[in-house]
Amino acid sequence: MVIKEVGFQCLDCGKILTTPTSLNTHMRIHTGEKPYVCKECGKRFSDTSAYRYHLLIHNGVKPFKCQDCGKAFKQKSLLRKHMTVHSGERKYSCSQCDRKFAYRESLKLHLRTHSGERPFKCTVCAKDFADKGYLKTHLKIHSNQKNYHCGVCGQKFIRIGVLNIHLRSHTGERPYHCTVCDKQFARLDHLKNHQRTHTGKCHGHYLM
């Protein structure tokens, strides 16, 4: 009986690939080779699909659109996270208090408020942070790096998220909805403060 071998086997991990090309691409997991380089930012990739996906960041394409509010996203995972704004789903609970979170990453960050853990340290001023993203933003203060420009008024911002919030002052966009009274807000923190007026836990005020 003749058994025909199907596919091409990786000698490092034993995985079977269907074509020599897919085997070559797979081997980059073991070799660390990243032959595709983004000309805009210098980031490297091991396969063409990840490289093309990354280019969406620079060309402004946002193919994933929210059917509830029309907001568009570059990545499907970002759209899925955004949908929790509309559903109000918070399936990650803190074991030390009654707070709940929509994302696992948010719960992990919150837990550091209980433990006091701040593992990310600035190499310039030694200030430490609970989240890597906070450190990254902080480092831009030292370099005075403001890469995000408002196309309407020309104002510059360190973070794209801050720019997006600023743009709502020009467009009047209010994507955050109160599920109790249907009031709308431009910023999530404004919505959270407003929701306390319904629960009787209002600790502060803000300007609309």
Side-chain angles (χ1 to χ4, degrees), residues 89-147:
E89 182 185 7
R90 292 172 176 265
K91 60 181 179 180
Y92 300 102
S93 302
C94 175
S95 59
Q96 300 187 48
C97 68
D98 60 356
R99 291 197 62 184
K100 294 183 178 182
F101 300 87
Y103 317 129
R104 188 192 300 274
E105 297 86 353
S106 300
L107 171 59
K108 187 177 178 182
L109 180 60
H110 165 76
L111 286 171
R112 290 177 183 155
T113 63
H114 295 296
S115 67
E117 182 188 8
R118 299 171 73 89
F120 304 100
K121 183 168 282 191
C122 174
T123 55
V124 180
C125 67
K127 192 172 182 180
D128 51 12
F129 299 87
D131 181 67
K132 190 175 183 179
Y134 296 161
L135 171 59
K136 208 171 176 184
T137 301
H138 167 79
L139 288 171
K140 292 177 181 178
I141 295 171
H142 293 301
S143 63
N144 199 27
Q145 184 181 352
K146 293 186 177 181
N147 293 329

Side-chain angles (χ1 to χ4, degrees), residues 48-106:
T48 53
S49 60
Y51 171 62
R52 287 195 298 267
Y53 198 69
H54 167 79
L55 291 178
L56 297 176
I57 296 171
H58 299 297
N59 63 27
V61 174
K62 295 182 178 182
F64 304 103
K65 196 169 185 179
C66 174
Q67 293 182 350
D68 287 338
C69 67
K71 192 171 183 180
F73 299 87
K74 296 183 180 76
Q75 299 176 20
K76 195 171 185 177
S77 60
L78 295 177
L79 172 59
R80 281 198 300 266
K81 285 186 176 183
H82 163 77
M83 291 305 295
T84 60
V85 171
H86 301 298
S87 68
E89 182 185 7
R90 292 172 176 265
K91 60 181 179 180
Y92 300 102
S93 302
C94 175
S95 59
Q96 300 187 48
C97 68
D98 60 356
R99 291 197 62 184
K100 294 183 178 182
F101 300 87
Y103 317 129
R104 188 192 300 274
E105 297 86 353
S106 300

